[in-house]
Amino acid sequence: EELEVREVQSLVQRPKWFRGVVRKVANENDPPNELFCGAEVECLEDGSSHSRGKTKKKQQLLVLKRRRQVMVEVPQERNMAQTASIPTRANALAPEQTSSLRWVNLYGEEICKCGTHLELRNKSQPATVSYTYGNREAPVEVLKSFNNVHGAGFVRESLRGVPPAPGAVGLQNLGNSCFLNSIAQCLNHTDPLTMYFLKGDYVNDLNRKNPLGSGGRVAIAYASFLGEVWSGEFSIIAPRLLKQTVASFAPQFNNVYQHDSQEFCQFLMDGIHEDLNRVKEKPYVEELEGRGMEDEKAAIESWRKHLLRHDSIIVDHFQGMHRSHVTCPSCGRESIKFDVYSTISLPIPPEKAITEVRLEDCLENFEIGEQLDEHNAWYCNSCKKHVCALKMIALWSVPDILVFHLKRFQFDNCKKTGGVVRSKMEDKVDFPVENLDMSPYILGPLDKDCPP
């Protein structure tokens, strides 16, 4: 019979509970067996002996003086006696006892029925999904502790189960990996990209020889991740393979620290783009200067040059163009260029009186010109030096799937120390879930047949 057993080294004030199985039941009148660790059983001193110098006899306070014992097996305590310090009273184990097999009092406080402290297991036991990276590495079990020691950390893996809806699968936190999980969930629900991978169309576009890519490994890892999410066999997924694959090419993610989700999104999308770039041999292309040209012609030519080197599913649905206009404050020289973007970083308006900001306010603030500081100075070919120029950015076109990044942090110079002070903006940004009209913010021509 399965039950809950208090951990062998657990404190009475802060008990920890494991699942155990009864292996043997002692008779009522059998002499008591020596207990292996566990919490001390409350005792009562026998008051019959009052003579001086004599030790009072102690009796255990068990319900109705029941002294029956049971032998329980606790798999999670296996080998614990070899790797942790054990109280002196448990140094000598009985021949039939091991670190995971021990006697406990049936009516004591060491055991209780299932469901008292731990959640009941389903009849269908969760399966384990293991990722094997070498011949010598053994598969990982669900929540198996490192070195079999409680509290040393656990490896979380995928669990089988029926999701509430197709693709609605939870993601395990792999040590502060919320930055990865949030981006993976967002990209998972972008239909064009997800269907492209689920249908297997990515196989024909794999570019394993691209020196800027990963040899196709990032794209294959993401395809494997989507295959598990949409298989209908898992309720929880551990995106371990995806995380390790991206981290092998972006070492800053090869740890359990917190990271910026927008930075990870950019690395993941760039990795997928380079692995699936349909351009196998990239020609040399010079940067186009749009000064003196009509904007529409300069934009078309810039996009054409971009497609000579970049053509993938990311370009098809995630990339647009913006117009950059830089003016030198000294000589008035202008520079106009059309650059490709996949993410728009929106500054939050700094008005302190506004407690709730609209997304439209952020878009309007994005189009306001900025004076470049000395750290971001622009090189003027006429003045032959770096200058703090005036820069204006306007959206020329937007992609089918537009990614906004809210700039929550602002940096100011400290007048006392001369250093840089970072502060976070906690303002709530209200945005429409549906029917976001971007036409007022687009400088380029609009297609009347396209939805707003």
Side-chain angles (χ1 to χ4, degrees):
E1 183 180 354
E2 193 177 32
L3 40 71
E4 294 182 9
V5 185
R6 184 152 54 184
E7 185 205 354
V8 67
Q9 299 177 24
S10 173
L11 300 177
V12 180
Q13 295 81 1
R14 300 181 63 182
K16 300 174 184 177
W17 297 88
F18 290 150
R19 287 186 174 88
V21 181
V22 177
R23 295 302 183 191
K24 188 177 181 180
V25 180
N27 295 325
E28 186 77 28
N29 299 323
D30 288 349
N33 298 283
E34 182 178 0
L35 301 181
F36 175 45
C37 287
E40 293 282 358
V41 179
E42 188 178 2
C43 298
L44 174 68
E45 292 185 352
D46 189 359
S48 59
S49 178
H50 298 285
S51 52
R52 192 173 185 180
K54 292 184 179 180
T55 304
K56 296 182 179 181
K57 183 179 179 181
K58 294 184 178 181
Q59 295 182 352
Q60 295 180 350
L61 284 179
L62 297 178
V63 181
L64 299 179
K65 296 195 176 185
R66 300 177 184 175
R67 295 181 175 84
R68 178 172 293 182
Q69 295 178 328
V70 294
M71 177 175 286
V72 295
E73 181 180 7
V74 187
Q76 289 177 278
E77 294 179 352
R78 187 173 292 113
N79 300 326
M80 186 175 293
Q82 301 174 7
T83 57
S85 58
I86 302 297
T88 56
R89 65 189 181 94
N91 288 342
L93 295 178
E96 57 184 344
Q97 297 191 69
T98 63
S99 57
S100 62
L101 196 66
R102 55 190 175 92
W103 288 99
V104 296
N105 288 316
L106 177 60
Y107 298 99
E109 297 180 355
E110 295 294 309
I111 59 177
C112 59
K113 67 178 182 178
C114 289
T116 305
H117 304 95
L118 305 176
E119 292 184 2
L120 292 175
R121 291 177 174 175
N122 297 328
K123 294 182 179 180
S124 57
Q125 296 294 333
T128 302
V129 174
S130 59
Y131 301 108
T132 305
Y133 301 98
N135 296 329
R136 298 182 179 179
E137 296 183 16
V140 233
E141 297 178 4
V142 175
L143 291 180
K144 179 179 181 181
S145 61
F146 298 138
N147 300 325
N148 295 315
V149 179
H150 178 80
F154 291 94
V155 177
R156 296 182 178 271
E157 286 299 330
S158 305
L159 299 181
R160 290 194 182 274
V162 180
V169 175
L171 299 180
Q172 292 276 23
N173 192 346
L174 304 177
N176 293 320
S177 65
C178 52
F179 67 94
L180 180 150
N181 294 354
S182 59
I183 294 301
Q185 291 284 22
C186 290
L187 293 180
N188 173 42
H189 290 86
T190 56
D191 292 343
L193 182 65
T194 299
M195 296 307 299
Y196 171 80
F197 277 96
L198 294 181
K199 291 180 179 179
D201 296 339
Y202 74 97
V203 177
N204 297 327
D205 294 336
L206 278 175
N207 190 345
R208 300 180 184 272
K209 296 183 179 180
N210 187 354
L212 299 179
S214 64
R217 280 175 281 184
V218 172
I220 292 175
Y222 186 71
S224 175
F225 164 75
L226 288 181
E228 293 179 351
V229 170
W230 290 88
S231 65
E233 299 178 359
F234 301 97
S235 59
I236 299 176
I237 293 292
R240 189 176 307 280
L241 179 60
L242 178 62
K243 182 177 185 296
Q244 293 184 351
T245 304
V246 175
S248 63
F249 299 96
Q252 63 268 36
F253 301 114
N254 192 20
N255 48 56
V256 294
Y257 304 142
Q258 296 181 1
H259 294 280
D260 184 67
S261 58
Q262 188 268 343
E263 182 183 4
F264 178 81
C265 178
Q266 200 65 47
F267 270 97
L268 179 59
M269 292 176 63
D270 288 345
I272 294 175
H273 161 66
E274 296 295 349
D275 283 353
L276 301 175
N277 196 347
R278 304 182 186 105
V279 180
K280 308 302 179 183
E281 305 241 345
K282 296 184 179 181
Y284 172 75
V285 176
E286 289 188 358
E287 192 176 30
L288 178 66
E289 172 63 60
R291 186 168 61 94
M293 297 178 60
E294 294 183 6
D295 284 347
E296 189 168 351
K297 292 183 179 180
I300 294 176
E301 182 63 17
S302 298
W303 184 253
R304 186 190 68 82
K305 288 190 172 186
H306 177 71
L307 293 181
L308 291 177
R309 295 175 56 88
H310 305 278
D311 183 18
S312 69
I313 184 69
I314 300 297
V315 177
D316 296 341
H317 297 282
F318 288 87
Q319 291 188 354
M321 295 186 68
H322 62 68
R323 180 181 183 272
S324 175
H325 187 180
V326 183
T327 305
C328 177
S330 301
C331 66
R333 179 183 174 86
E334 297 179 340
S335 174
I336 298 176
K337 293 182 180 179
F338 289 85
D339 300 318
V340 177
Y341 69 88
S342 57
T343 302
I344 300 179
S345 296
L346 296 179
I348 300 178
E351 287 81 8
K352 302 298 182 181
I354 301 178
T355 57
E356 183 172 327
V357 184
R358 298 180 305 119
L359 184 64
E360 290 80 359
D361 300 330
C362 299
L363 287 168
E364 293 174 1
N365 197 30
F366 171 78
E367 295 182 338
I368 298 177
E370 62 171 334
Q371 191 81 30
L372 300 180
D373 55 23
E374 55 184 8
H375 300 289
N376 300 300
W378 173 69
Y379 184 80
C380 178
N381 290 326
S382 298
C383 300
K384 304 299 180 182
K385 64 178 182 179
H386 288 85
V387 296
C388 296
L390 176 65
K391 185 177 182 179
M392 302 279 294
I393 294 181
L395 297 178
W396 182 262
S397 64
V398 291
D400 299 335
I401 302 171
L402 183 58
V403 180
F404 287 123
H405 161 234
L406 299 178
K407 300 171 68 173
R408 287 287 184 181
F409 293 96
Q410 59 182 2
F411 300 88
D412 299 317
N413 295 326
C414 182
K415 296 181 179 179
K416 293 184 178 180
T417 62
V420 178
V421 180
R422 187 185 74 168
S423 59
K424 184 176 181 180
M425 305 182 69
E426 302 286 351
D427 302 276
K428 177 182 177 181
V429 178
D430 187 17
F431 60 92
V433 179
E434 297 178 348
N435 299 325
L436 173 63
D437 187 5
M438 291 293 298
S439 56
Y441 312 100
I442 298 177
L443 187 62
L446 302 176
D447 189 350
K448 297 181 181 180
D449 296 331
C450 291

